[in-house]
Amino acid sequence: MLITEAFAQTAPAASPGGTDLLMSVLPFLLIFVVMYFLIIRPQRAAMKRREELLKNIRRGDQVVTGGGVIGKVTKVIDDKELEVEIAEGIKVRVVRSGVTEVRVKGEPVKE
């Protein structure tokens, strides 16, 4: 006889496909972890630093606005607005979130 008998092979009953699922999901989990540590976490830290910078602006600070205008804070109007002197005698109101950089910290207000 040239043909041999074939025996049916069965998978173990304990874990049918359990490792296959883990191996297909594992790369996605690893990619998410790497993305978290390389992109999401540093971005959150930068946002916290920016919020702290904007919160601590006070009178006398030299600031740069989003449009590139450099001026000196003459008055903190409220939590959202500042009065900035951009030239001698020329004062403009600036939204606090429009400030991109604080160059020179002013001295604290004397009480």
Side-chain angles (χ1 to χ4, degrees):
M1 252 185 165
L2 296 172
I3 301 174
T4 60
E5 292 184 31
F7 296 100
Q9 296 180 356
T10 59
S15 64
T19 58
D20 293 338
L21 179 66
L22 178 65
M23 294 308 275
S24 64
V25 173
L26 187 64
F28 293 110
L29 292 174
L30 290 175
I31 290 171
F32 179 75
V33 168
V34 168
M35 294 285 283
Y36 175 77
F37 282 108
L38 292 179
I39 296 174
I40 298 170
R41 192 170 174 219
Q43 185 177 7
R44 283 186 183 173
M47 286 175 51
K48 284 183 183 180
R49 282 192 305 268
R50 177 167 166 71
E51 287 175 12
E52 191 68 28
L53 174 84
L54 293 178
K55 188 171 71 171
N56 291 330
I57 293 176
R58 58 181 186 240
R59 188 176 61 177
D61 291 351
Q62 186 178 10
V63 296
V64 180
T65 65
V69 178
I70 300 172
K72 188 174 186 177
V73 177
T74 57
K75 183 179 179 184
V76 177
I77 297 171
D78 59 15
D79 288 345
K80 297 186 188 265
E81 292 183 6
L82 307 167
E83 186 175 274
V84 178
E85 184 176 25
I86 57 174
E88 194 170 324
I90 300 175
K91 297 178 181 177
V92 293
R93 291 175 74 164
V94 177
V95 178
R96 195 179 284 251
S97 62
V99 174
T100 57
E101 180 183 349
V102 177
R103 287 205 171 163
V104 179
K105 297 297 268 181
E107 295 189 19
V109 177
K110 296 176 183 167
E111 295 180 26

